[in-house]
Amino acid sequence: MMSKKPFLQRILDQKWLLLFILPAFAYFLIFSYLPMYGILIAFKNYTPGVSSNAFIDILNAPWVGFKYFTRFFSSYYFGQILSNTIVLSLMGLVIGFPLPIILALTINEAKDGFFKKFTQTVTYAPYFISVVVVCGMLIAFLNPTTGILTHFLEFFGIKNISFMTDPRYFKIIYVLSDVWQGTGWGSVIYLAALSGVDTQLHEAAIIDGASRWQRVIYINFPILIPTMVILLIMSVGNLMAMGYEKIILLQNPLNLDSSNVIATFVYKTGLLDAQYSYAAAVGLFNSVINCVLLLSVNKIARKVSDISLL
Amino acid sequence: MSNKNQASTRDKLFSLIVYTLLGLALIIVLYPLIYIISASISSPTSVGSGKMWLWPVDITFSGYQVIFKNADIWNGYKNTIFYTVLGTSINLFVTLPCAYALSRRNFMAKKWFMKMLVITMFISGGLIPTFILIKALGMYNTVWALVIPNAASVYNIVVTRTFFQSTIPDELEESAAVDGASDLRIFWQIVLPLSMPIVAVMALFYGVGQWNGYFNAMIYLSDRSLYPLQLILREILVVQDMSSNTTNFSTTSAEMLQQKQQLVDVIKYGVMIVSTLPVIMVYPFLQRFFVKGVMIGSIKG
């Protein structure tokens, strides 16, 4: 037990440690907590530039209550935006979540050596490619006249698919390119968990006549479950906050029916059309749903498996 | 005996499936990358017609020649290097000392500061309030808008803290403290030299984020001369509308547009390579570090 020194003495003793957290403290205070004050504008009629001080502008703006929320919920595009957001996220989760696990289990079964190392290095690499370049690749590969995929499909007699401008293809393009970019990197954390498997378990299983397949299913896979649960909680908590940076790049007026999601709507209404209060209200709606999702999945996971984030 | 034979055939089949799956993953990831490299040094017509599909056809370096003469790309490159070096330095300056303080068992502010960090993972102001704040702080259209608003991430601080906790024995700090070393000296002269793997991982994570980011630059910068490389790339690859000062044409007649399009076709694969090369070159050398970093982060994240 720490001896109870006077408070001031303890501050002096730990002055360096306190100084160490000072930059981070200032950063989070200004850039994470101060914007929370700005959430107020979702309930106000905020116009920028009334005075020279945005804080005073926010304070003085007239209250409008839930006006902007009702406007959003009763708008004709609300249903479409919400369903696009949910469908895109769920597709990403259902297709994107299991693949890193399968890849990690498979890599783990390969013999140590050049091929294994090479496969790991190559499959991790796309994670380091920027979203602009990935979207540039997609646009180039899927070009309806010059794209390489178009040429491949022509070989099979399929012609003239306008991938980028047909709303039907947008979601699968988005999800599959995410898979291409993220599966390898996603497997790293599972491989780390697999490296902690007790070799005695495998030795005992071999003596009992278990096949390699059985050892993967009954020894390696269960080891990954805690990691899976944690990552699942985190991805469900981010369900409504998917990669809008990529969607904005792939979005065009023709595929909008399928690509318009809450995050891109906030960006467009708020920053391009300068309807700050309206966009802030929609953004707040989004983060409230995220927060509720995160807390409920965390609770379910704790009940079912005793594993939780918090 | 037959049982053993059966088992070995079964395991052989298993190996076959494992290597087939890995081979498949390898091809899926590698093919687009090889295609880009080949396309960047092939003639645009053979790329567009589909004649070039794996190895370069009609090899030409005209794309790279245009790229190296393009003032926008050079300026973007220069800006990106500057933002990445400055931004990553700030990231490390905020993250490392903070993570170290939080890793010390008896640090008085540990509990409430961790709470303060975790809360930000659940509640955030969101895009619009943050944008208003950046403008109010006078950071709009300045370098600071790109390096300060993402100065630290809670996840990275927690991973770094876990690294310090699990690799630096408490006794080391205690004995150094007995010898009269201040916390600053302990951190700078003992802890940091022992923690190079996590410093490398964080530099890579933050650095790649700075290098590859475009969104903050897009919303916070209005002055073209400040644009980072990714914004220039966005114009070339996504908006496909190179400005007049890129192409030295000022009219936008149909013919000019067509010429612009042809120019874009010549350079688009080259710019992908040129912009990605630095990251891809650095990453294999740091790979063993960041696998370690992710591993430590996963122990008790």
Side-chain angles (χ1 to χ4, degrees):
Chain A
M1 192 62 214
M2 217 181 333
S3 60
K4 260 293 175 227
K5 285 183 189 167
F7 188 65
L8 213 66
Q9 184 62 47
R10 281 167 62 207
I11 287 182
L12 277 177
D13 282 353
Q14 304 198 334
K15 61 176 184 295
W16 283 114
L17 296 181
L18 288 166
L19 267 176
F20 284 172
I21 65 163
L22 191 63
F25 175 75
Y27 167 72
F28 285 102
L29 191 69
I30 297 172
F31 292 96
S32 294
Y33 282 87
L34 216 51
M36 291 180 197
Y37 166 73
I39 293 177
L40 278 182
I41 68 169
F43 305 95
K44 289 186 158 209
N45 206 351
Y46 169 73
T47 14
V50 174
S51 72
S52 58
N53 189 325
F55 299 94
I56 292 170
D57 283 352
I58 293 174
L59 203 64
N60 289 341
W63 290 96
V64 293
F66 286 89
K67 175 183 155 194
Y68 290 112
F69 293 88
T70 26
R71 190 207 281 185
F72 182 56
F73 298 144
S74 56
S75 69
Y76 69 93
Y77 43 72
F78 172 68
Q80 188 192 53
I81 290 179
L82 191 67
S83 90
N84 279 341
T85 309
I86 293 169
V87 171
L88 205 54
S89 305
L90 286 180
M91 270 175 76
L93 199 61
V94 170
I95 301 174
F97 189 75
L99 287 173
I101 301 166
I102 296 169
L103 183 65
L105 288 169
T106 317
I107 288 176
N108 194 51
E109 293 304 313
K111 269 204 197 74
D112 286 326
F114 174 76
F115 180 74
K116 185 178 178 177
K117 198 106 218 117
F118 183 68
T119 310
Q120 284 178 278
T121 306
V122 168
T123 49
Y124 301 168
Y127 180 79
F128 296 94
I129 298 176
S130 79
V131 59
V132 176
V133 168
V134 170
C135 291
M137 284 164 63
L138 286 171
I139 292 167
F141 293 167
L142 302 179
N143 185 300
T145 50
T146 59
I148 185 67
L149 190 71
T150 308
H151 292 306
F152 274 126
L153 291 177
E154 267 167 17
F155 186 76
F156 294 104
I158 305 163
K159 273 184 186 157
N160 292 329
I161 300 183
S162 332
F163 287 103
M164 296 312 300
T165 48
D166 188 333
R168 282 178 300 171
Y169 297 110
F170 174 81
K171 290 194 177 84
I172 198 71
I173 291 169
Y174 172 83
V175 170
L176 289 185
S177 57
D178 259 12
V179 164
W180 179 79
Q181 200 177 11
T183 301
W185 182 253
S187 74
V188 174
I189 193 162
Y190 292 111
L191 276 169
L194 282 173
S195 68
V197 175
D198 190 350
T199 47
Q200 286 183 349
L201 276 176
H202 280 285
E203 281 158 15
I206 292 168
I207 291 166
D208 289 346
S211 69
R212 284 180 70 186
W213 169 250
Q214 285 170 322
R215 275 154 50 205
V216 169
I217 293 302
Y218 297 111
I219 300 177
N220 286 353
F221 185 74
I223 298 261
L224 298 183
I225 288 176
T227 314
M228 282 163 54
V229 174
I230 295 284
L231 290 184
L232 194 65
I233 297 173
M234 298 214 299
S235 25
V236 173
N238 279 321
L239 205 61
M240 309 279 283
M242 80 284 276
Y244 61 91
E245 299 197 358
K246 187 163 142 194
I247 301 178
I248 289 172
L249 292 175
L250 294 177
Q251 206 168 51
N252 57 53
L254 295 170
N255 66 20
L256 209 57
D257 280 352
S258 182
S259 64
N260 207 7
V261 297
I262 295 180
T264 59
F265 180 77
V266 171
Y267 161 72
K268 261 196 231 143
T269 329
L271 299 187
L272 301 185
D273 305 340
Q275 302 182 50
Y276 290 103
S277 283
Y278 185 30
V282 178
L284 180 59
F285 165 71
N286 200 19
S287 24
V288 168
I289 293 194
N290 259 334
C291 197
V292 171
L293 275 175
L294 183 61
L295 291 174
S296 20
V297 176
N298 192 59
K299 201 164 189 179
I300 295 170
R302 194 184 310 197
K303 274 224 172 98
V304 175
S305 64
D306 257 358
I307 303 160
S308 73
L309 199 60
L310 301 170
Chain B
M1 243 347 172
S2 78
N3 225 351
K4 208 168 186 183
N5 274 340
Q6 215 182 343
S8 80
T9 350
R10 213 171 43 182
D11 282 357
K12 262 184 198 145
L13 184 71
F14 182 84
S15 286
L16 187 73
I17 295 171
V18 163
Y19 286 103
T20 314
L21 279 179
L22 289 183
L24 206 65
L26 205 55
I27 291 170
I28 293 172
V29 175
L30 210 48
Y31 177 70
L33 302 177
I34 294 175
Y35 180 86
I36 295 169
I37 297 171
S38 299
S40 75
I41 52 171
S42 298
S43 77
T45 35
S46 53
V47 175
S49 67
K51 217 172 100 192
M52 197 297 297
W53 65 277
L54 183 65
W55 304 120
V57 174
D58 303 334
I59 293 180
T60 162
F61 292 93
S62 59
Y64 286 104
Q65 278 166 357
V66 176
I67 292 168
F68 288 122
K69 273 187 266 171
N70 186 305
D72 269 1
I73 293 174
W74 274 116
N75 192 45
Y77 224 101
K78 199 188 74 202
N79 286 340
T80 291
I81 292 173
F82 176 63
Y83 299 149
T84 304
V85 171
L86 180 65
T88 309
S89 312
I90 293 174
N91 290 145
L92 295 178
F93 174 74
V94 176
T95 303
L96 296 174
C98 168
Y100 174 66
L102 290 174
S103 77
R104 291 281 296 264
R105 256 188 314 155
N106 56 357
F107 177 45
M108 58 191 294
K110 182 176 167 169
K111 264 222 169 92
W112 68 258
F113 193 63
M114 274 309 290
K115 266 191 201 125
M116 179 177 167
L117 294 187
V118 171
I119 288 172
T120 64
M121 295 173 94
F122 292 91
I123 313 166
S124 74
L127 181 66
I128 306 301
T130 308
F131 181 80
I132 294 172
L133 176 75
I134 301 294
K135 274 201 146 171
L137 292 173
M139 288 181 171
Y140 184 79
N141 203 25
T142 67
V143 176
W144 304 113
L146 296 194
V147 293
I148 300 287
N150 40 16
S153 99
V154 176
Y155 178 80
N156 284 345
I157 290 177
V158 171
V159 168
T160 312
R161 183 201 64 160
T162 313
F163 181 93
F164 288 141
Q165 272 174 350
S166 54
T167 55
I168 311 289
D170 290 344
E171 294 80 31
L172 203 68
E173 284 150 0
E174 279 158 21
S175 62
V178 169
D179 291 345
S182 70
D183 286 324
L184 178 67
R185 264 192 70 185
I186 296 174
F187 175 64
W188 189 251
Q189 294 189 337
I190 300 173
V191 174
L192 266 194
L194 288 172
S195 308
M196 277 309 142
I198 199 72
V199 178
V201 172
M202 286 304 137
L204 181 76
F205 281 2
Y206 282 125
V208 169
Q210 295 279 1
W211 186 277
N212 283 342
Y214 86 94
F215 190 74
N216 279 356
M218 181 175 80
I219 64 175
Y220 294 132
L221 295 183
S222 58
D223 192 346
R224 261 187 86 82
S225 64
L226 291 176
Y227 278 12
L229 186 58
Q230 298 296 331
L231 264 196
I232 306 290
L233 287 187
R234 174 177 165 267
E235 288 178 356
I236 298 171
L237 298 174
V238 179
V239 185
Q240 299 210 355
D241 173 36
M242 299 185 76
S243 76
S244 49
N245 53 5
T246 320
T247 49
N248 297 321
F249 302 131
S250 51
T251 50
T252 46
S253 66
E255 197 183 319
M256 291 299 165
L257 274 176
Q258 201 191 349
Q259 272 178 330
K260 274 185 187 177
Q261 186 55 47
Q262 278 166 357
L263 185 79
V264 167
D265 284 341
V266 174
I267 67 169
K268 66 180 169 191
Y269 294 104
V271 291
M272 291 180 194
I273 306 282
V274 169
S275 67
T276 312
L277 208 60
V279 179
I280 293 289
M281 298 265 277
V282 172
Y283 130 83
F285 297 101
L286 292 175
Q287 193 184 344
R288 64 196 173 96
F289 285 136
F290 69 65
V291 170
K292 209 174 186 175
V294 171
M295 221 186 274
I296 284 153
S298 68
I299 295 172
K300 21 182 175 161

